[in-house]
Amino acid sequence: MEKCPSVKSILLLDSEGKRVAVKYYSDDWPTNAAKEAFEKDVFTKTQKTNARTEAEIAMFENNMVVYKFVQDLHFFVTGGEDENELILATVLQGFFDAVGLLLRGNVDKREALENLDLILLCLDEIVDGGIILETDATVIAGKVASHSIDAGAPLSEQTISQALATAREHLTRSLLK
Amino acid sequence: MAQPLVKKDDDHDDEAEYSPFLGIEKGAVLQEARVFNDPQLDPRRCSQVITKLLYLLNQGETFTKIEATEVFFAVTKLFQSRDLGLRRMVYLMIKELSPSSDEVIIVTSSLMKDMNSKTDMYRANAIRVLCRITDGTLLTQIERYLKQAIVDKNPVVASAALVSGIHLLQSNPEIVKRWSNEVQEAMQSRAALVQFHALALLHQIRQNDRLAVSKLVTSLTRGTVRSPLAQCLLIRYTCQVIRESAGNTQTGERPFYDYLESCLRHKAEMVIFEAARAITELNGVTSRELTPAITVLQLFLSSSKPVLRFAAVRTLNKVAMMHPMAVTNCNIDMESLISDQNRSIATLAITTLLKTGNESSVDRLMKQITNFMSDIADEFKIVVVEAIRSLCLKFPLKYRSLMNFLSNILREEGGFEYKKAIVDSIVILIRDIPDAKESGLLHLCEFIEDCEFTYLSTQILHFLGIEGPKTSDPSKYIRYIYNRVHLENATVRASAVSTLAKFGAMVDSLKPRIFVLLRRCLFDSDDEVRDRATLYLNTLGADGAMDETNEDASEFLFGSLDVPLVNLETSLKNYESSDEPFDISSVPREVKVQPLAEKKAPSKKPAGLGAPPSGPTATVDAYEKLLSSIPEFSSFGNLFKSSAPVELTEAETEYAVNVVKHIFDQHVVFQYNCTNTIPEQLLENVTVLVDSSEAEEFAEVASKPLQSLPYDSPGQTFVAFEKPQGVPAVGKFSNILKFIVKEVDTSTGEAEDDGVEDEYRLEDLEVVAADYMQKVGVSNFRNAWENMNPDSERVDEYGLGPRENLSEAVNAVINLLGMQPCEGTEVVPSNSRSHTCLLSGVFIGNVRVLVRLSFGIDGEKEVAMKLAVRSDDESVSDAIHEIVASG
């Protein structure tokens, strides 16, 4: 109980339960297979619930899971069974809102994958080795965004040029098919 | 390898499935990573490649050692670029690769440069990366920078250093402990999260120093902690201090309670909840202390946020276990949660209601639950079933409606685990509530008419065979059982045949009819079924040959196997190829591994059908078997009672010994369970020398030494005493463990030939009056009480002196008498001034005893008790009073 509040994992899955980005901070899942089994479990047990307006919560096998869905993305934050539910919910909200800010409101799987670097940096700024670093979405997004600026280039331009680059890549790939 | 040209055979629209990583492949990405080596770095392109690598790792792809090393070296080249975004990705990549120590050296200087950079982001992240990958030797080099960073004016940098400190404390405590001053300074930071991280680190540095923690808490609870997270942390530390100081508070106010209570008015919900939960978990919390916490939790119950509702209902559910009365105020809010969208919340609400409900609300509650059960998952249903079972045991009078509920849900759809939970519950109710037996058995009969689970069918048939013949009209079960012989698979048919035979053995009037049925089974298509039918026809004497076989037959049918299964298995394996017929008496009866030690841990799940008499009875069975297998003790008659093991040594001594007291009519047997905890020793000829000079009525008659006691495999030695028949003789015994020690070579496991005699002093052991009392409950205390002869009643009043609270006094008397509390009366609602407790038991000589205790407590905490006893034997009523008077 005297432990520091801790997060065991943060998961971002798509509407079929596939990984978009996941981060584990605990040894409870030593192998990738164990992780995937856990994700599947979490996904199927929460799939049918409506977690689009308010964050929802479930508990199974000593894991507390708080989650929220938007479009085809499912956000999860999990912790131990003794963890304060509201702390986990705060972390989830921070993650969820920060992603919303970083993706400029277009929060869906495609956008998330196209900006996977931002998502990964975002995860990195929220929790470090299970210890909560920051829960305020604007601060988190601010830290991530400040990194993605090319020296001097404003954020808007950056994303447009990035979008162009990926589009170009996609085009070449389809030409090669 | 995947072929890039083959299109994925997805039935999804290609456009919808578009992903920037479609068709990504490790080999190709590793090729791409060569751009890191370009003399002219393209930051964007490099970032993209790193993202791809991270994507692969994130999807569970692994790099071989060589691949990882190559990528790592390539990535280190990117420190040349001044691009911020790229640098950030480099940090991430290094953390993901977790390089080995010789690789770490390559990046150390680059990272140290970044640690001293003017850019805050570089500093913060470089600290986190370096601390993540570094080992102790490097740490001393960077310690100076870390100390600086802790007090950095940029909160991100300070937090990064503090959090890294928390991680490093695990591996390099002596270094991190030197940072106390800086951490303390960081505590004063205006940035909320810096304060949180500093507090966490400071506490961990001092966690072994109680006084320091206590000082920390004292000063902080008075001051202002800004961050809600830090506040939560402080609440946890405060609770620790409260717990540890629990022993030395004499009076009244609990230290720091005011602080916890003030946190209930904090503006952040997480702090309010943390404080409320902390209060409910305080040791021996009083209802006055609980009230404010319950009040805020009650408010949360009607919140629009599911997480808040869940947190509140989960906490209240826990409170309801210990203090059901405190939660009843929330019942109305709780009832509205039964229809909550979130089924976890609904289930918790239901089970809480079941715990707090009183006898009158049961029926109404059951109606609500019926609707609810249809739309929740099996796992939740099981929780509800278990809650209903305990409710039924609490209110045995309500068994009818609860049993009906269980039988209704038994008929509905459900998986194995769920059905098993229901069947187990019904079985437990049948066992504990005699009135419920007949209806319960019929429900089970109906269930096996249409049961898809072989396991459950056979278990129920077995149970029917034991309980069915003892009912008022056994014949009505025969139809159900015989139907199984027609309609089921071979396994179930075979067990139905066994069940029929049990009815035949127990109920003479049914015998002829059973024979008819068994003869029909002789034509079954399955060997086992035919064999069993033939066997039972013979043992029950269907050929009219022997009449006196009755006893043998029932012994054969009902007696349990008196050899440990493990031993039987080994013997059978040894036997396999021999020509002699197998002789079961050749199987060693002595239990090799002490099976009773594990029993101490309360089994989470009540034993189901497999072992109908669960808990203490099962233990007694095991003891009985063990004792009757020892020839010296076989003449002692039936075992009356076995006590729980009493430890005779401190924990973690060389030899661990506990004792179980077995009470017989004329004898007492002490079973010493010994464990040798020294790998280098083998003990032989282990005995316990018992001095009974302080127990006049006892005379030693036999002892059974333990031949050999190797390391870590428990063994037992016994000492038996004779005592006057039927008298609850008491006394004190001192014990000395005697043995021969032999040195063991731990590498070969061989013991030396010569041993040395040695002895070891054990703690004293007492036989007390409670040892002569069996805990036997009654389902309806009032009826049982009124049926006892009122002339046997003895009433007297006692003063119990000052006590902490009523609950303590009640428990003391229950333990003194060793009787079974009935109808949940052992639970004293907190802060009540008076309480009535009902006890029941069987005293040695099979004398039924009922006790009614009325307690009262006054302002000075003086407890008075009125004790009324009724029993089958007036002298026993007097004896009970003597026990209390002398206790």
Side-chain angles (χ1 to χ4, degrees), chain B residues 604-883:
Chain B
K604 260 192 186 159
K605 281 190 182 161
L609 285 158
S614 77
T617 352
T619 326
V620 170
D621 275 357
Y623 283 134
E624 203 158 11
K625 247 180 253 169
L626 180 69
L627 292 171
S628 62
S629 70
I630 300 167
E632 289 93 325
F633 308 145
S634 53
S635 62
F636 291 177
N638 281 339
L639 176 62
F640 178 75
K641 185 189 176 172
S642 298
S643 73
V646 182
E647 298 296 335
L648 295 183
T649 51
E650 305 272 323
E652 292 170 23
T653 43
E654 299 101 303
Y655 314 111
V657 180
N658 65 42
V659 67
V660 178
K661 297 172 272 185
H662 301 291
I663 310 291
F664 292 86
D665 200 28
Q666 274 191 56
H667 297 89
V668 175
V669 174
F670 297 142
Q671 172 188 338
Y672 296 91
N673 301 312
C674 315
T675 313
N676 171 8
T677 61
I678 306 175
E680 297 84 19
Q681 283 189 3
L682 170 73
L683 307 188
E684 284 188 350
N685 204 14
V686 183
T687 53
V688 178
L689 197 65
V690 185
D691 174 9
S692 59
S693 55
E694 283 181 72
E696 290 152 12
E697 289 172 290
F698 295 85
E700 187 170 333
V701 288
S703 74
K704 185 173 185 296
L706 176 63
Q707 289 310 331
S708 121
L709 183 66
Y711 164 63
D712 206 22
S713 85
Q716 303 111 24
T717 163
F718 300 84
V719 180
F721 287 88
E722 195 169 34
K723 65 167 192 64
Q725 178 171 13
V727 173
V730 296
K732 197 172 180 182
F733 302 83
S734 61
N735 309 290
I736 295 168
L737 191 68
K738 292 191 68 141
F739 45 81
I740 296 170
V741 186
K742 289 188 173 174
E743 296 286 317
V744 173
D745 184 342
T746 43
S747 55
T748 61
E750 276 172 35
E752 282 175 20
D753 290 339
D754 297 327
V756 185
E757 221 168 285
D758 199 0
E759 51 181 53
Y760 186 82
R761 183 146 192 100
L762 303 175
E763 279 169 38
D764 290 351
L765 157 73
E766 270 188 279
V767 171
V768 293
D771 289 327
Y772 296 98
M773 181 70 78
Q774 270 178 343
K775 284 190 177 184
V776 177
V778 288
S779 62
N780 189 331
F781 189 87
R782 208 191 141 105
N783 274 353
W785 180 263
E786 277 160 11
N787 287 337
M788 286 257 189
N789 181 6
D791 293 342
S792 71
E793 183 165 327
R794 296 286 182 276
V795 187
D796 206 349
E797 285 180 19
Y798 300 89
L800 301 182
R803 299 275 173 167
E804 185 78 0
N805 52 38
L806 264 188
S807 170
E808 190 211 325
V810 172
N811 283 329
V813 177
I814 293 176
N815 287 336
L816 181 67
L817 291 175
M819 296 176 75
Q820 175 70 41
C822 300
E823 297 170 20
T825 51
E826 74 273 28
V827 181
V828 184
S830 48
N831 268 19
S832 55
R833 318 296 301 168
S834 66
H835 184 72
T836 301
C837 179
L838 308 172
L839 303 175
S840 132
V842 171
F843 202 63
I844 192 158
N846 269 337
V847 183
R848 214 176 164 81
V849 186
L850 296 174
V851 168
R852 209 187 261 265
L853 297 164
S854 310
F855 292 87
I857 189 165
D858 68 4
E860 271 89 58
K861 305 236 170 198
E862 288 282 339
V863 177
M865 174 180 80
K866 184 174 148 194
L867 168 71
V869 193
R870 286 189 182 185
S871 76
D872 293 342
D873 183 344
E874 290 171 27
S875 63
V876 171
S877 299
D878 293 327
I880 299 290
H881 276 284
E882 268 170 47
I883 295 173

Side-chain angles (χ1 to χ4, degrees), chain B residues 56-203:
Chain B
L56 284 173
L57 287 171
N58 212 290
Q59 294 295 317
E61 187 78 70
T62 48
F63 293 164
T64 64
K65 184 84 187 86
I66 298 170
E67 284 166 349
T69 313
E70 262 171 30
V71 171
F72 176 76
F73 279 112
V75 166
T76 56
K77 302 254 166 55
L78 299 179
F79 274 104
Q80 291 169 26
S81 165
R82 297 181 164 277
D83 184 278
L84 273 136
L86 179 58
R87 184 67 55 88
R88 234 2 262 285
M89 296 310 282
V90 169
Y91 293 145
L92 269 192
M93 195 66 213
I94 293 175
K95 274 201 268 190
E96 282 301 323
L97 287 172
S98 45
S100 61
S101 54
D102 47 335
E103 291 168 347
V104 170
I105 298 166
I106 316 272
V107 282
T108 308
S109 62
S110 307
L111 285 171
M112 276 169 73
K113 208 169 107 202
D114 284 357
M115 264 172 74
N116 295 300
S117 147
K118 288 209 168 58
T119 318
D120 294 332
M121 274 306 153
Y122 277 179
R123 285 212 304 284
N125 283 297
I127 289 171
R128 281 167 54 204
V129 176
L130 197 53
C131 291
R132 169 74 61 87
I133 60 177
T134 191
D135 58 5
T137 51
L138 196 64
L139 198 55
T140 39
Q141 288 179 46
I142 58 170
E143 190 186 352
R144 188 163 54 94
Y145 304 116
L146 288 175
K147 279 174 153 179
Q148 254 168 35
I150 288 174
V151 291
D152 197 293
K153 64 181 185 306
N154 183 304
V156 183
V157 178
S159 277
L162 288 164
V163 171
S164 299
I166 296 174
H167 294 312
L168 289 170
L169 191 66
Q170 311 302 325
S171 50
N172 298 287
E174 65 297 335
I175 296 182
V176 181
K177 279 184 181 158
R178 295 200 289 255
W179 307 349
S180 272
N181 288 337
E182 285 77 12
V183 179
Q184 206 134 32
E185 199 181 325
M187 281 288 302
Q188 312 303 320
S189 163
R190 300 194 60 79
L193 277 142
V194 174
Q195 206 175 35
F196 163 59
H197 295 131
L199 177 57
L201 181 54
L202 198 60
H203 176 262

Side-chain angles (χ1 to χ4, degrees), chain A residues 102-122:
Chain A
L102 289 167
L103 301 183
R104 294 160 185 273
N106 301 322
V107 185
D108 58 30
K109 179 190 176 187
R110 179 174 174 161
E111 200 70 20
L113 281 173
E114 281 181 358
N115 296 289
L116 189 68
D117 49 346
L118 299 186
I119 306 279
L120 292 172
L121 288 173
C122 182

Side-chain angles (χ1 to χ4, degrees), chain A residues 1-6 14 16 18-23 25 32 36 39 45 49-50 54-60 64 66-67 72 80-87 89-90 109-110 112-118 120-136 139 142-144 146-151 157-158 161-162 165-167 169-170 173 176-177, chain B residues 4-5 7 10 12 14-15 17-22 32 43-45 47-48 51-52 54-55 57-61 83-86 88-89 92 95-96 121-122 125 128 132 156 159-160 163-164 166-167 193 196-197 200 203-204 229 232-233 236-237 239-240 243 269-271 273-274 277-278 281 300 304-312 314-315 318 341-342 344-345 379-380:
Chain A
M1 250 316 268
E2 300 79 46
K3 275 194 349 218
C4 194
S6 70
D14 73 4
E16 288 160 33
K18 289 208 212 88
R19 268 182 203 171
V20 174
V22 297
K23 198 84 190 130
Y25 308 101
N32 190 48
E36 278 175 346
E39 284 155 34
K45 291 225 164 96
T49 53
N50 178 15
E54 287 286 355
E56 279 287 347
I57 181 161
M59 221 181 96
F60 45 89
M64 182 106 59
V66 289
Y67 54 100
D72 51 359
E81 58 178 339
D82 288 330
E83 200 41 84
N84 180 330
E85 291 90 336
L86 303 181
I87 293 181
T90 312
K109 179 190 176 187
R110 179 174 174 161
L113 281 173
E114 281 181 358
N115 296 289
L116 189 68
D117 49 346
L118 299 186
L120 292 172
L121 288 173
C122 182
L123 285 171
D124 187 55
E125 290 294 355
I126 295 174
V127 171
D128 183 285
I131 299 174
I132 300 162
L133 273 180
E134 180 58 77
T135 57
D136 183 329
V139 179
K143 286 204 232 171
V144 174
S146 76
H147 290 298
S148 64
I149 299 175
D150 268 359
E157 274 184 42
Q158 147 74 13
S161 53
Q162 212 172 32
T166 30
E169 217 174 294
H170 186 226
R173 200 182 298 132
L176 281 171
K177 274 184 186 173
Chain B
L5 293 181
K7 244 176 123 181
D10 274 345
H12 291 280
D14 204 33
E15 184 56 29
E17 260 303 285
Y18 164 72
S19 144
F21 303 105
L22 196 70
E32 272 186 79
R44 178 166 303 125
R45 178 123 174 73
S47 280
Q48 280 167 358
T51 309
K52 282 185 193 171
L54 287 171
Y55 173 82
L57 287 171
N58 212 290
Q59 294 295 317
E61 187 78 70
D83 184 278
L84 273 136
L86 179 58
R88 234 2 262 285
M89 296 310 282
L92 269 192
K95 274 201 268 190
E96 282 301 323
M121 274 306 153
Y122 277 179
N125 283 297
R128 281 167 54 204
R132 169 74 61 87
V156 183
S159 277
V163 171
S164 299
I166 296 174
H167 294 312
L193 277 142
F196 163 59
H197 295 131
H203 176 262
Q204 286 197 6
L229 277 172
C232 288
L233 212 49
R236 293 185 190 185
Y237 300 157
C239 290
Q240 185 192 6
R243 253 200 315 280
E269 280 161 347
M270 71 163 86
V271 177
F273 173 66
E274 187 76 42
R277 189 172 69 160
E281 286 171 3
F300 283 177
S304 65
K305 294 181 189 159
V307 177
L308 219 52
R309 294 200 299 273
F310 177 90
R314 190 162 83 108
T315 311
K318 277 195 197 136
Q341 285 286 315
N342 184 320
S344 306
I345 297 178
E379 51 183 307
F380 293 136

Side-chain angles (χ1 to χ4, degrees), chain A residues 41-57:
Chain A
D41 215 16
V42 167
F43 180 77
T44 45
K45 291 225 164 96
T46 57
Q47 194 180 11
K48 291 206 188 80
T49 53
N50 178 15
R52 295 188 180 267
T53 44
E54 287 286 355
E56 279 287 347
I57 181 161

Side-chain angles (χ1 to χ4, degrees), chain B residues 233 327 359 418 563 622 672 679 778:
Chain B
L233 212 49
V327 186
E359 199 142 1
Y418 173 43
V563 289
Y672 296 91
V778 288

